[in-house]
Amino acid sequence: MKVVMLGAPGAGKGTQAKKIAAKYSIPHISTGDIFRANIKNGTELGKKAKTYMDQGLLVPDELVVDLVVDRVNQEDCANGYVLDGFPRTIPQAEALTKALAAQGQKLDYAIDVDVPDENIVRRMGGRRACVGCGATYHLEYAPPKQEGICDSCGGELILRDDDKPETVTKRLNVYHEQTQPLIDYYTEAGILKTVDGTVDIEEVFRSVTEILGA
């Protein structure tokens, strides 16, 4: 079972990817994890990626695809995997399709966790993080016992810059421009499935398991 998760930042695709990985005993693969592992282990691909990252540059698509394909060819991916945060663009998706096809493989499902922009802005704008221990809360879904104070360490709770409405809106604009076209790409490939991401996490996961099978 080879799955790719799609959805805007804050839609909850990472949470669902982890739940899929746990239920079906397949690896949850994010490009960030792949980069870190390759750099830490000093692999050739890791060294190449590091030269770009050290200069503050984006790692080129071909190299990212090489890293992903290298990862999905490892033994723990024999029964499948769930990709989270990749591909982000049409060129990445095309390169991944081509690289997998060269090995007689293909993705089985692209699952889009669909959440309207206004929900995401509200959802992320409600997050609060502790400056002391890093614990996270949500004013609506998981509020602290005392407003503005961390339950764990008593530290101050703040709204992080990347959760501010203007930052979230900017990230959503980039998503719609670059990543939204993947919806059409995977629809044409006949593997796109959409779930309603506005409902409770467990309800979203029920919809996902209905697609993937029990």
Side-chain angles (χ1 to χ4, degrees):
M1 182 192 298
K2 301 175 186 72
V3 182
V4 60
M5 299 301 292
L6 304 175
K13 63 180 181 296
T15 302
Q16 295 301 322
K18 285 178 187 139
K19 289 175 81 63
I20 291 168
K23 179 175 171 63
Y24 297 97
S25 301
I26 55 176
H28 168 222
I29 298 174
S30 79
T31 44
D33 292 343
I34 296 173
F35 287 167
R36 281 187 288 276
N38 276 274
I39 289 166
K40 186 182 167 197
N41 296 329
T43 68
E44 279 310 306
L45 290 171
K47 285 175 193 165
K48 283 184 191 170
K50 194 172 184 300
T51 58
Y52 291 97
M53 291 161 82
D54 286 349
Q55 297 172 69
L57 300 170
L58 283 175
V59 179
D61 285 352
E62 311 82 68
L63 183 51
V64 181
V65 171
D66 285 348
L67 282 158
V68 171
V69 172
D70 176 68
R71 175 67 187 90
V72 302
N73 278 330
Q74 289 171 24
E75 215 174 294
D76 62 341
C77 292
N79 294 324
Y81 46 83
V82 53
L83 287 177
D84 173 18
F86 181 87
R88 287 180 190 273
T89 62
I90 293 290
Q92 286 180 353
E94 289 172 343
L96 179 64
T97 301
K98 195 174 165 188
L100 290 175
Q103 302 182 349
Q105 297 182 37
K106 64 180 180 58
L107 293 170
D108 299 309
Y109 297 101
I111 298 178
D112 177 35
V113 182
D114 187 35
V115 181
D117 285 6
E118 58 271 24
N119 291 46
I120 288 174
V121 173
R122 192 170 69 242
R123 192 183 277 184
M124 293 175 84
R127 290 179 183 174
R128 294 293 182 273
C130 174
V131 292
C133 69
T136 54
Y137 299 86
H138 195 282
L139 300 183
E140 204 177 328
Y141 309 116
K145 293 190 180 81
Q146 194 180 339
E147 194 181 333
I149 306 289
C150 175
D151 295 351
S152 306
C153 75
E156 181 196 356
L157 299 182
I158 59 158
L159 173 64
R160 288 187 300 218
D161 285 345
D162 56 356
D163 288 335
K164 287 179 176 168
E166 57 273 27
T167 312
V168 175
T169 302
K170 210 177 283 180
R171 286 171 68 196
L172 286 169
N173 289 340
V174 171
Y175 166 75
H176 289 304
E177 195 181 305
Q178 292 188 347
T179 312
Q180 187 90 30
L182 291 175
I183 305 289
D184 296 335
Y185 178 82
Y186 286 119
T187 299
E188 279 174 34
I191 63 168
L192 185 86
K193 304 286 180 186
T194 303
V195 295
D196 179 3
T198 63
V199 294
D200 172 76
I201 287 171
E202 292 305 326
E203 217 171 307
V204 178
F205 191 55
R206 267 197 296 277
S207 301
V208 170
T209 53
E210 277 172 23
I211 292 163
L212 301 178

